[in-house]
Amino acid sequence: MSFTWPGIPPSSTVLHRDWARAGITQFEAEFPASLEGKVSPEEFRETIDEVNHLLRCADNYGVCGYLEGLVACASFFSIYICYEGRSAGFARQLKEFLKEQNRSIYAKAGLEWKNPFDNGLLYLEISEN
């Protein structure tokens, strides 16, 4: 069953969250039929694999991540005024990666990957320009 999100043009391709691994933020990696002839499956696979890799890294908390959370709570989150947190760092990396991929690969095909942080990581949109 296919679900369409409100406000997304019908010409856009939507990659839904992959909920198969609970607690891990990632998107479906299957090559969409709507991209056939526009980009190669290999280019798509490299892009979606890196997106999913960055999201897995952002979800992977170690001792430093828990310590950051503890200091953030103790400082009423004012630490983030002068310090870029882990999540913000990975969000910035993902934004820069998608911008570079759009410029070097997808703009030539008239496509643009939208930042999934803009919709709360619910879906990943690939729109036609």
Side-chain angles (χ1 to χ4, degrees):
M1 180 176 180
S2 180
F3 177 79
T4 57
W5 292 92
I8 296 181
S11 60
S12 291
T13 301
V14 174
L15 304 176
H16 298 281
R17 282 274 296 269
D18 182 359
W19 298 97
R21 295 176 58 192
I24 304 293
T25 305
Q26 63 183 13
F27 294 98
E28 296 173 344
E30 184 177 327
F31 185 70
S34 60
L35 298 182
E36 286 282 339
K38 297 177 182 175
V39 294
S40 72
E42 293 79 21
E43 290 171 326
F44 171 81
R45 173 60 78 175
E46 288 175 14
T47 303
I48 194 66
D49 284 349
E50 183 62 21
V51 167
N52 285 335
H53 171 74
L54 288 171
L55 292 172
R56 276 191 307 275
C57 289
D59 282 345
N60 188 10
Y61 275 84
V63 173
C64 291
Y66 289 111
L67 183 60
E68 176 189 322
L70 181 65
V71 171
C73 288
S75 69
F76 297 102
F77 297 95
S78 63
I79 187 177
Y80 295 121
I81 293 171
C82 57
Y83 169 75
E84 179 181 63
R86 283 178 42 85
S87 296
F90 282 109
R92 182 183 40 76
Q93 285 179 347
L94 180 60
K95 181 179 179 180
E96 290 171 2
F97 172 73
L98 290 177
K99 184 178 178 180
E100 173 59 28
Q101 290 293 294
N102 284 333
R103 186 191 61 73
S104 64
I105 298 171
Y106 295 96
K108 297 170 190 168
L111 301 171
E112 179 186 12
W113 287 60
K114 304 288 184 172
N115 188 346
F117 278 93
D118 293 344
N119 62 53
L121 298 172
L122 293 174
Y123 57 86
L124 208 161
E125 178 185 358
I126 305 170
S127 64
E128 292 187 13
N129 292 336

